Amino acid sequence: MVFTLGCAQRQAFFAVLPNADGSSGAITVSDNNQNSLLLDKPYAASEEKSGKIAPAVTNASDVQQVFGNALAAQPILPAHFRLYFERDTDTLTPESAQQYRAVFDDIKRRPVYQVEVIGYTDTLGTQAYNQRLSLKRAEAIRDRLIRDGLNARSISVAGRGELDPAVPTAPQTSEPRNRRVEITVR
Amino acid sequence: MRAITLTRRALAIACLAIFSMLQFASVAAAQNPQIAQVETISGNVFIQRAGAHVTVKIGDPLYEKDVIDTGADGAIGVTFIDNTVMSAGPNSEVALEQYQFDSNNFSGSMLTDMRKGTISMVSGDIAKSSPAAMKVKTPAAILGVRGTHFVVEVPD
């Protein structure tokens, strides 16, 4: 006969892990008795026993022991890119033309991928014109990715015109940082 | 001759039946959009979907209400359409209880029901959209996710 008195079984365990840059996010853990704990540092942890949550202690090697298989199964994290265009064209700036390669390589290293390309403009010209231009920019990048061998069905495009600038400006303002596409790869 | 006519009619009815089933399937798919994609998989992994056990492979879609079910040697990694990333280790049962995401304003909500096993999650746009938008439920506690990387274990 085994006595487990005073040694209640762990019902759940929670921990925050560091991001790649060493920072961390935060989670709150709440039980059914209105108890709540904020975990907002790397390896901040909590466990639940007999329906109550309490702080817990953990570290990288404990986490690896329990979550090693789950962590090994983690997909490559989504990535974001911005490419910039010459004024009033769907031609990339020389710097962004160079950076295109990094976007393509990031997509190619993934076993499966979904790519979203959203185009934007600055505020020169009419809204209607900029809507068309922003879509043309997104389509130019999509067409290039397809020419380079990516699957057309895995790439979506949209144009947001001048309405969602990276840098807010007055109307009819030339702003290179707003002449862009934003690319999400996952 | 008569037999042939009958066979033809039977064939026509069968075709019609298949056609309407296909239509039904596409309507069901339209009502139930893809919320995630399988990115990694190893060992035995099933998806409980509408009462059936479905096997999945890399690239397959997942839907709201799917339940991920990994065997003793199983693990799976999935990426959601809001860029949330989740992976589950062996002997895990994780229900994608509720999921909604609007890609026009990058907001939505997500409730994951962690029934047993181990998961690792890296949050995406939903957690950024509001502090209460992303939640993970365990048998007796609930987790509010403000951001990024965390792990949850529910022992069997």
Side-chain angles (χ1 to χ4, degrees):
Chain A
M1 194 172 194
V2 180
F3 290 94
T4 55
L5 207 67
C7 184
Q9 187 130 41
R10 180 185 264 184
Q11 295 167 295
F13 173 78
F14 314 90
V16 168
L17 300 189
N19 299 322
D21 64 0
S23 69
S24 80
I27 59 177
T28 55
V29 185
S30 313
D31 63 22
N32 292 333
N33 303 310
Q34 318 292 318
N35 299 309
S36 185
L37 273 176
L38 172 67
L39 311 179
D40 62 354
K41 292 178 183 63
Y43 300 106
S46 160
E47 65 185 353
E48 183 179 21
K49 287 178 173 175
S50 311
K52 282 181 67 176
I53 50 163
V57 175
T58 194
N59 57 43
S61 74
D62 287 353
V63 165
Q64 192 56 37
Q65 193 129 26
V66 177
F67 297 98
N69 289 308
L71 291 168
Q74 179 178 289
I76 297 171
L77 294 180
H80 304 278
F81 299 91
R82 266 185 190 175
L83 298 178
Y84 297 95
F85 292 81
E86 302 285 3
R87 180 169 159 169
D88 196 20
T89 69
D90 59 5
T91 306
L92 289 173
T93 62
E95 299 77 29
S96 286
Q98 295 269 322
Q99 218 217 331
Y100 168 84
R101 196 69 220 175
V103 179
F104 181 76
D105 290 345
D106 181 276
I107 301 170
K108 280 301 271 189
R109 76 191 171 114
R110 296 166 189 267
V112 285
Y113 53 81
Q114 296 285 330
V115 182
E116 287 168 6
V117 188
I118 303 177
Y120 303 84
T121 69
D122 62 21
T123 56
L124 282 180
T126 66
Q127 276 195 20
Y129 179 83
N130 284 333
Q131 173 55 39
R132 286 195 301 276
L133 177 59
S134 67
L135 185 60
K136 267 176 66 182
R137 285 176 172 163
E139 288 171 345
I141 298 303
R142 177 197 59 194
D143 294 348
R144 172 88 188 270
L145 291 169
I146 293 169
R147 270 204 311 281
D148 287 344
L150 297 188
N151 180 0
R153 286 176 51 208
S154 299
I155 309 172
S156 69
V157 293
R160 296 257 173 95
E162 63 179 65
L163 298 175
D164 206 352
V167 182
T169 67
Q172 302 303 322
T173 304
S174 172
E175 174 49 70
R177 288 171 294 178
N178 289 337
R179 302 196 284 260
R180 70 200 195 279
V181 291
E182 307 218 349
I183 304 171
T184 303
V185 183
R186 61 169 175 266
Chain B
M1 206 54 196
R2 186 177 165 78
I4 289 168
T5 319
L6 271 177
T7 316
R8 272 201 187 146
R9 180 180 289 178
L11 201 67
I13 290 168
C15 283
L16 201 70
I18 289 166
F19 180 70
S20 51
M21 268 159 60
L22 285 175
Q23 270 207 321
F24 178 75
S26 68
V27 167
Q31 284 168 342
N32 200 0
Q34 171 173 353
I35 62 166
Q37 174 167 281
V38 177
E39 305 254 338
T40 70
I41 198 158
S42 63
N44 275 308
V45 178
F46 291 99
I47 304 299
Q48 301 170 29
R49 180 178 295 157
H53 271 70
V54 183
T55 53
V56 286
K57 58 184 188 307
I58 289 175
D60 281 353
L62 295 181
Y63 303 97
E64 192 180 41
K65 301 290 180 200
D66 278 359
V67 181
I68 293 168
D69 201 338
T70 63
D73 63 345
I76 183 171
V78 308
T79 301
F80 291 83
I81 57 172
D82 75 305
N83 298 319
T84 297
V85 168
M86 178 171 89
S87 50
N91 296 312
S92 298
E93 191 176 333
V94 187
L96 312 181
E97 192 61 38
Q98 186 272 325
Y99 188 96
Q100 181 268 321
F101 180 63
D102 181 347
S103 60
N104 289 313
N105 58 17
F106 302 103
S107 72
S109 61
M110 173 178 190
L111 174 65
T112 304
D113 182 5
M114 179 63 193
R115 296 175 183 167
K116 63 168 185 160
T118 52
I119 55 168
S120 163
M121 290 184 95
V122 181
S123 64
D125 292 325
I126 286 178
K128 281 182 211 152
S129 70
S130 96
M134 181 175 178
K135 291 199 156 73
V136 179
K137 193 170 86 179
T138 69
I142 192 144
L143 206 97
V145 180
R146 298 199 196 165
T148 55
H149 198 179
F150 63 95
V151 287
V152 180
E153 180 201 14
V154 175
D156 204 354

